Amino acid sequence: FLIGKEIMTFISRAGRYVLRKRIRTLVLLVILTIVSASMLATIAVSQAAKHEAEQIEKQAVVGFVLANNPQNNSGTPRGAGTVKPADVQRIAKLPGIASYVVRQNVTADLTDADAMKLPEGDDYDKTKEQRFGNAVNLEGTNDSAKLNAFASHALSIAQGRHLKASDKHMSMIHEDLAKANNLKVGDTLTLRANPYDADNESGSTASVTTTIAGIFKGDSNRKVATRAELTSNTVYTDLNTTRELYQYKPDKEIYQDATFTLAKGVDVEKTMNDAKKLPVDWKNYQITRNDQYTAGMLSAAQGVRSMMRGTLIGVLIFAALVLCLVLLLWMNDRRREMGVLVSIGVGKPSMVAQYVSEMILVGIPSLALGWLCARGVAQWLGSSTLRSVNASAARELSSMGQAGGNLESNMATRSLSTLAVSVDAGAILPVSLGLLGVVLVCVLVSCMPMLYKSPRDLLGMQR
């Protein structure tokens, strides 16, 4: 009974003080609202970045890529890959390899359609216009759905279907190319090998008529320098088509690269080490983890979370310093009040409990106001932080040299473009606990110097 009475006593004193000192209560309310809103917003942004990172990791293809080793293998005359089919088959037989997808790049002219051009239209001189003016980049594959461009969602199917290994003389075109030439799924597209391409060593001018199986959408967000970099001038076909166009002989056929997908639960590093033991020319070829297309996005998400951790620590330090300063000044003004309470037998623990209760009474509505404010600023904070992280990454990339504007370069350097932030009510609990911890520390720091003094000293009485 006595304990309950004492609790009611210091709570009632705290309530009366909060109601009586309206200006001080308002100042505290503003401070705690700013602190709680900042904490809620930073936690919301951090959680949003964490969610994005988890989604990116789920979408990432677990596997590795076999490609040229640029230190020793400059590739074809045009700089393309020279991966041999026999090496791909050796690696594909390793335990844990679920599937693989290869790419075979050739250059072909459109004979019954027009390639897309830059709006400026002055990227080619007269000779180049004559030789490559209507050329497109062909990418032959055995499974277009598993290509990094589609697996990473940089591109997606708008109409029709993906290409598969059993296809013959089938193609997929960009929606811009389809629109410009009034093409649709089921129409035919005739392709002729471009004899001026440096990689067309046989000088082939073979033609293949393909049936359009699908129309895809998506684009690079980087500025392109020539029409060859336009995503709309990329045509995906089956491997039979690219082989026939360049008249590859079985012992001379090459791929740009090969991407191997692992079965669920298979260790990537162990499988890569097993692959390195196979009789493959590892001087000219290398294998790397297939996460380069998500590295930039994951780095951006991690950068946002890192900035939010720093911001949260800064907010807590700011809150502690401001509250300590304010409470120290106010405690000094409450010396006579303390002296009277101690003189009539009020215990010091009861007084500390009163001061904490005062802060809690003000803190509860500040949390509600802070939640409302955080809902208004969290998205702005998230977008601003993401822009800052992306700008820093862009400066770092610029210092290493300018990347191309084609889709491949864009995928390798892309980052998060947006961050959807929402303030979860569940964040109120950790913010409340954090705020309570700051309040306890500040109250103890500010009132301890006064509590050590005697009633006579507090009341300013001479001995």
Side-chain angles (χ1 to χ4, degrees):
F1 173 76
L2 292 175
I3 293 174
K5 184 177 180 180
E6 177 60 28
I7 292 174
M8 292 303 297
T9 300
F10 71 72
I11 290 178
S12 62
R13 291 201 309 268
R16 288 194 296 270
Y17 184 83
V18 168
L19 293 174
R20 187 173 71 252
K21 300 292 185 177
R22 294 185 180 88
I23 300 299
R24 293 187 178 184
T25 298
L26 182 61
V27 171
L28 275 178
L29 182 67
V30 171
I31 294 173
L32 294 178
T33 297
I34 293 173
V35 172
S36 59
S38 301
M39 292 175 69
L40 285 166
T42 53
I43 289 175
V45 173
S46 182
Q47 289 297 320
K50 180 182 178 182
H51 175 73
E52 287 292 337
E54 290 173 349
Q55 294 302 308
I56 293 166
E57 288 175 342
K58 286 180 181 178
Q59 295 173 2
V61 177
V62 181
F64 55 87
V65 179
L66 173 68
N68 287 3
N69 181 347
Q71 293 182 343
N72 302 312
N73 185 357
S74 58
T76 64
R78 184 159 44 85
T82 58
V83 174
K84 298 176 181 177
D87 293 331
V88 174
Q89 293 302 319
R90 289 190 184 98
I91 297 175
K93 293 176 182 177
L94 285 173
I97 301 291
S99 63
Y100 69 90
V101 59
V102 296
R103 299 190 300 164
Q104 190 170 66
N105 294 342
V106 305
T107 301
D109 294 323
L110 301 177
T111 63
D112 51 4
D114 294 323
M116 302 299 292
K117 294 178 173 56
L118 295 180
E120 299 81 6
D122 57 354
D123 54 328
Y124 287 173
D125 58 28
K126 184 177 180 180
T127 301
K128 201 168 186 179
E129 184 70 41
Q130 181 182 2
R131 293 180 175 183
F132 299 101
N134 210 39
V136 293
N137 304 309
L138 256 62
E139 196 162 291
T141 181
N142 59 320
D143 190 349
S144 61
K146 292 181 180 177
L147 292 172
N148 282 314
F150 292 95
S152 65
H153 301 288
L155 300 178
S156 61
I157 288 291
Q159 300 175 39
R161 64 170 178 86
H162 274 287
L163 300 174
K164 50 190 178 182
S166 60
D167 283 334
K168 185 173 184 179
H169 300 167
M170 305 295 286
S171 59
M172 291 191 334
I173 63 174
H174 193 272
E175 60 181 0
D176 290 347
L177 185 66
K179 184 178 179 181
N181 292 280
N182 296 315
L183 295 171
K184 61 184 183 298
V185 173
D187 288 348
T188 59
L189 184 71
T190 301
L191 305 163
R192 184 180 63 231
N194 187 299
Y196 299 104
D197 179 27
D199 286 355
N200 187 357
E201 295 181 351
S202 67
S204 171
T205 56
S207 293
V208 175
T209 298
T210 64
T211 301
I212 299 172
I215 296 175
F216 63 91
K217 61 182 179 180
D219 204 353
S220 166
N221 57 14
R222 301 176 67 86
K223 182 177 177 60
V224 300
T226 68
R227 72 190 72 173
E229 293 183 325
L230 290 172
T231 307
S232 53
N233 280 337
T234 297
V235 176
Y236 293 94
T237 71
D238 54 86
L239 290 171
N240 289 303
T241 298
T242 50
R243 286 171 185 149
E244 290 182 30
L245 285 171
Y246 270 25
Q247 299 180 344
Y248 279 123
K249 296 179 180 180
D251 59 336
K252 296 294 184 180
E253 183 177 2
I254 54 173
Y255 298 138
Q256 170 70 16
D257 52 35
T259 301
F260 298 88
T261 303
L262 304 188
K264 188 175 182 181
V266 176
D267 185 83
V268 179
E269 295 297 334
K270 181 180 181 304
T271 308
M272 289 173 63
N273 288 331
D274 291 341
K276 291 176 182 177
K277 298 175 184 177
L278 296 173
V280 175
D281 185 3
W282 294 117
K283 180 180 179 182
N284 288 317
Y285 303 103
Q286 64 179 0
I287 50 176
T288 55
R289 289 179 65 104
N290 189 32
D291 56 5
Q292 70 270 35
Y293 297 120
T294 59
M297 294 185 290
L298 285 173
S299 178
Q302 292 164 358
V304 170
R305 294 194 70 192
S306 177
M307 289 186 70
M308 289 301 97
R309 282 195 295 270
T311 302
L312 185 59
I313 293 172
V315 168
L316 290 173
I317 293 174
F318 166 80
L321 291 175
V322 171
L323 283 176
C324 280
L325 178 61
V326 171
L327 292 178
L328 279 170
L329 293 173
W330 290 353
M331 288 298 175
N332 189 56
D333 290 342
R334 299 178 71 173
R335 293 176 60 179
R336 294 185 63 82
E337 175 192 339
M338 290 181 178
V340 171
L341 290 174
V342 173
S343 298
I344 62 176
V346 175
K348 292 181 179 179
S350 178
M351 294 175 60
V352 173
Q354 175 190 336
Y355 303 145
V356 173
S357 297
E358 292 171 5
M359 298 293 290
I360 292 175
L361 289 174
V362 179
I364 291 174
S366 74
L367 279 171
L369 291 172
W371 184 72
L372 292 174
C373 293
R375 292 183 65 184
V377 301
Q379 184 60 61
W380 169 84
L381 178 63
S383 299
S384 299
T385 305
L386 182 59
R387 281 197 299 270
S388 176
V389 169
N390 286 342
S392 178
R395 287 193 296 271
E396 184 177 350
L397 181 64
S398 177
S399 66
M400 295 187 294
Q402 183 62 39
N406 63 326
L407 182 64
E408 195 84 6
S409 299
N410 177 69
M411 288 169 57
T413 59
R414 70 175 180 157
S415 182
L416 283 179
S417 57
T418 58
L419 190 64
V421 184
S422 61
V423 182
D424 189 353
I428 292 180
L429 178 59
V431 169
S432 300
L433 294 175
L435 208 55
L436 180 61
V438 171
V439 164
L440 288 173
V441 171
C442 292
V443 168
L444 290 174
V445 169
S446 60
C447 70
M448 278 303 174
M450 298 298 175
L451 294 178
Y452 278 116
K453 294 183 179 181
S454 65
R456 182 183 293 275
D457 290 333
L458 290 171
L459 293 170
M461 299 173 62
Q462 298 294 327
R463 295 182 180 275

